[in-house]
Amino acid sequence: MSTLAAARRQLVQHGPALALAALLATSGTIHLVKPGVFRPLIPRSLGDPDPWVLGSGVAELACAGALAVPATRQVGGLASAALLVGVFPGNVTMAVRSRPDARSWAGKPAVAWARLPLQVPLVAWALTVARSARSARSAR
């Protein structure tokens, strides 16, 4: 097999998982470095938003790490899907609270409401990664 063909095979096999890992790692890092962006997502009924914001950032980083390693990719995909479903109420909260004069870009109505339908393909992506990892493991 040529080097180009091998590289293409590796990209097809690992690319979707690594891309999702990069997305979650970026988001998780932002949660930890700039938690103020995410505080408005936390429903008031949950109390102090900081533990929720930091916890979800750590969870995103853990999912990213699990997705990056083929041996843990199936669990990482399932955990990522669960996390994305779990944070959906926060995205709804942010959309409902969004204002045109919000200081953060994430609090603007166009961004906040656009995030909601994006959760569906993200969850599907995570589940596809999990299924692909399971198939790859059973093919060995």
Side-chain angles (χ1 to χ4, degrees):
M1 177 182 326
S2 74
T3 304
L4 182 58
R8 186 173 292 138
R9 185 174 55 78
Q10 290 292 317
L11 181 61
V12 168
Q13 182 178 0
H14 301 291
L18 296 177
L20 182 56
L23 179 76
L24 289 170
T26 300
S27 179
T29 300
I30 295 169
H31 275 74
L32 300 180
V33 175
K34 293 197 170 274
V37 172
F38 298 97
R39 285 185 186 116
L41 276 82
I42 307 303
R44 289 182 184 99
S45 61
L46 294 178
D48 182 8
D50 285 342
W52 295 101
V53 171
L54 298 176
S56 62
V58 169
E60 287 180 334
L61 291 170
C63 286
L67 288 166
V69 178
T72 57
R73 191 164 288 158
Q74 181 180 0
V75 171
L78 294 173
S80 297
L83 177 65
L84 290 163
V85 169
V87 300
F88 187 74
N91 292 340
V92 172
T93 297
M94 185 162 213
V96 169
R97 291 183 188 167
S98 64
R99 300 181 332 268
D101 63 339
R103 291 177 62 196
S104 166
W105 58 268
K108 305 247 183 232
V111 173
W113 286 100
R115 289 175 66 151
L116 299 180
L118 291 177
Q119 291 297 108
V120 174
L122 288 173
V123 171
W125 185 5
L127 292 173
T128 299
V129 166
R131 273 193 295 276
S132 296
R134 185 182 69 226
S135 297
R137 291 180 77 187
S138 59
R140 290 184 213 160

